[in-house]
Amino acid sequence: MERQDIYESESLTFILSRMMKLRRSNVHLLLRDQEVYPGQPPLLFHLSRHEGHSQKEIAQHLQLTPATVTVMLKRMEKTGHVERRPDPQDQRISRAYLTDKGREALSEVKEAMNFLEIQCFQHISEEEKRMMRRLLLQMYDNMKSFEQSLLTEKDQPNRK
Amino acid sequence: MERQDIYESESLTFILSRMMKLRRSNVHLLLRDQEVYPGQPPLLFHLSRHEGHSQKEIAQHLQLTPATVTVMLKRMEKTGHVERRPDPQDQRISRAYLTDKGREALSEVKEAMNFLEIQCFQHISEEEKRMMRRLLLQMYDNMKSFEQSLLTEKDQPNRK
DNA sequence: CACTTATATTTAGTCGACTAACTAATTTTT
DNA sequence: AAAAATTAGTTAGTCGACTAAATATAAGTG
């Protein structure tokens, strides 16, 4: 069955996305007891380091849209991990805080995610990790340049 | 602004997911003229190689749930890229085929995706790519083992 | 043959991610 | 001071991905 074709694939991005998908699924399994979904740890971590950030600040840091942050925070309010309070000086601004429940969940999430990270890099040396880091950043830069060229192209009247 | 902290991050998986997110966004920009969404190329490619596969077969190959395949195919039927026909021998089975429009879109998508892949790996040597492939497969295997251990744990009566 | 079990797909609901449009508050301009 | 522009967040809608339950069809059993 072609379930195994990750081992035959020449496409690195294919392997990458399969690996990331599996990782995400493992995150899900790991976090189920904490009522935390796979997309939420980055937000939890951010709030633990930046108590009371506005939604705009959160969105910028996590590179998400404001709409996504609103929806996520709303859900996390619902599970009791987060609370939002209006800024005293500016009624447009909403600031997010971890609740006690949120902090509790967070420490377990931190532990779980660290554990996962260690498992993920089993049998991979520090040197190899360093090389991979360099290559990934190169890829990121390449994609950033590519994005720029696409967006520039988009603004051209004579595009295509 | 901490938008730049990908360059400071020690977490490879963080860098990985940021890079993959950016890539996906670029795929989106590239495919907008073809009425194709970033999740659809794998399914289009599969159908071009396996004309008439059942939804179950598609789901197994792409490692998606049947529900996801149903919803995706329905959307692609709507845009006219795909048509579904019942199997003549078994009324439970639905088989998917590319339309002419789908084939047309596919060839442009193929071109675009190849172009993107080339851009992604600029300034990275063949040797480096080989190493990265090995490391990614190792990570995949690690995550696979981890998943197994989690699922085994899940079936234990005395878990946690 | 009737009933039970298995199979393939669908539907409804959840999540995160985006876009576009909207709402309310604040700042800037006239 | 009033109007216009900007800002922060929200809502509605789209996508893909999953889960659980439902539906229709086929296979197996007594």
Side-chain angles (χ1 to χ4, degrees):
Chain A
M1 177 44 59
E2 278 181 52
R3 285 244 7 235
Q4 299 304 320
D5 74 354
I6 186 173
Y7 296 105
E8 290 153 25
S9 178
E10 301 295 338
S11 164
L12 281 193
T13 47
F14 173 76
I15 296 171
L16 253 178
S17 41
R18 277 293 165 83
M19 197 278 295
M20 290 305 277
K21 185 180 172 184
L22 179 55
R23 181 181 173 275
R24 182 182 168 90
S25 166
N26 283 341
V27 170
H28 187 60
L29 287 176
L30 260 188
L31 301 184
R32 68 206 151 172
D33 292 337
Q34 279 79 248
E35 265 190 306
V36 172
Y37 290 94
Q40 293 173 354
L43 182 39
L44 287 171
F45 294 148
H46 182 80
L47 286 183
S48 80
R49 275 183 265 118
H50 304 284
E51 196 83 7
H53 256 200
S54 72
Q55 291 187 206
K56 181 186 171 181
E57 287 168 314
I58 293 168
Q60 286 175 340
H61 282 229
L62 300 185
Q63 293 186 39
L64 302 173
T65 65
T68 300
V69 171
T70 293
V71 174
M72 281 178 76
L73 284 175
K74 203 190 272 182
R75 285 175 183 145
M76 287 158 85
E77 261 188 322
K78 201 167 166 190
T79 53
H81 291 121
V82 156
E83 67 182 341
R84 284 185 289 178
R85 288 180 229 138
D87 186 282
Q89 333 264 10
D90 187 337
Q91 291 303 301
R92 296 174 300 179
I93 296 177
S94 179
R95 296 190 177 283
Y97 305 84
L98 285 179
T99 60
D100 287 345
K101 181 180 177 184
R103 263 183 286 273
E104 231 178 271
L106 174 63
S107 84
E108 294 181 19
V109 169
K110 217 180 244 176
E111 210 176 293
M113 299 298 284
N114 280 337
F115 184 56
L116 183 69
E117 188 102 348
I118 287 163
Q119 295 307 306
C120 192
F121 292 102
Q122 286 270 61
H123 311 302
I124 294 179
S125 70
E126 289 303 317
E127 179 57 33
E128 284 170 330
K129 282 202 261 184
R130 266 193 297 274
M131 165 162 254
M132 180 174 261
R133 185 174 184 277
R134 182 169 66 73
L135 294 179
L136 289 174
L137 287 174
Q138 180 63 68
M139 285 164 81
Y140 183 83
D141 288 344
N142 291 343
M143 286 291 91
K144 206 75 191 156
S145 304
F146 190 61
E147 181 189 52
Q148 282 312 303
S149 70
L150 285 182
L151 294 175
T152 304
E153 206 177 291
K154 179 181 169 186
D155 295 333
Q156 296 285 1
N158 298 326
R159 183 173 147 259
K160 199 146 186 181
Chain B
M1 179 46 58
E2 279 180 49
R3 284 257 351 247
Q4 298 305 318
D5 73 353
I6 186 173
Y7 297 105
E8 290 152 24
S9 178
E10 302 294 338
S11 164
L12 280 192
T13 47
F14 173 77
I15 297 172
L16 253 178
S17 41
R18 276 292 163 84
M19 197 276 296
M20 290 304 278
K21 184 179 171 184
L22 180 55
R23 179 181 173 275
R24 182 184 168 90
S25 167
N26 283 342
V27 171
H28 187 62
L29 286 176
L30 259 188
L31 301 184
R32 68 203 150 173
D33 293 337
Q34 279 78 249
E35 267 189 302
V36 171
Y37 290 95
Q40 292 172 353
L43 183 38
L44 287 172
F45 294 148
H46 182 82
L47 287 184
S48 79
R49 275 182 267 119
H50 303 284
E51 196 82 9
H53 256 200
S54 73
Q55 292 189 205
K56 180 186 173 182
E57 287 168 315
I58 294 168
Q60 285 174 338
H61 282 226
L62 300 186
Q63 292 184 38
L64 302 173
T65 66
T68 300
V69 171
T70 294
V71 174
M72 283 177 75
L73 283 175
K74 201 190 271 181
R75 286 175 182 145
M76 289 159 83
E77 260 189 323
K78 200 166 167 191
T79 53
H81 290 122
V82 156
E83 67 181 340
R84 283 185 289 178
R85 288 179 231 140
D87 185 281
Q89 333 263 11
D90 187 337
Q91 290 302 303
R92 295 174 299 181
I93 296 177
S94 180
R95 296 190 178 281
Y97 305 84
L98 287 179
T99 60
D100 287 344
K101 182 181 177 182
R103 263 182 286 272
E104 230 179 272
L106 174 64
S107 83
E108 296 184 18
V109 169
K110 218 181 242 176
E111 211 176 293
M113 300 298 284
N114 280 335
F115 183 56
L116 183 69
E117 187 101 351
I118 287 163
Q119 295 306 309
C120 193
F121 292 101
Q122 286 270 60
H123 311 302
I124 293 177
S125 71
E126 288 302 318
E127 178 59 33
E128 285 171 328
K129 282 201 262 181
R130 268 194 297 275
M131 163 162 256
M132 180 175 261
R133 185 174 182 280
R134 182 170 65 75
L135 295 178
L136 289 174
L137 287 174
Q138 179 64 68
M139 286 164 79
Y140 183 82
D141 288 343
N142 293 343
M143 286 292 92
K144 205 75 193 158
S145 304
F146 190 59
E147 182 190 52
Q148 281 311 303
S149 70
L150 286 182
L151 294 175
T152 304
E153 206 178 288
K154 180 183 168 186
D155 296 332
Q156 296 286 0
N158 297 327
R159 183 174 148 257
K160 196 92 174 245

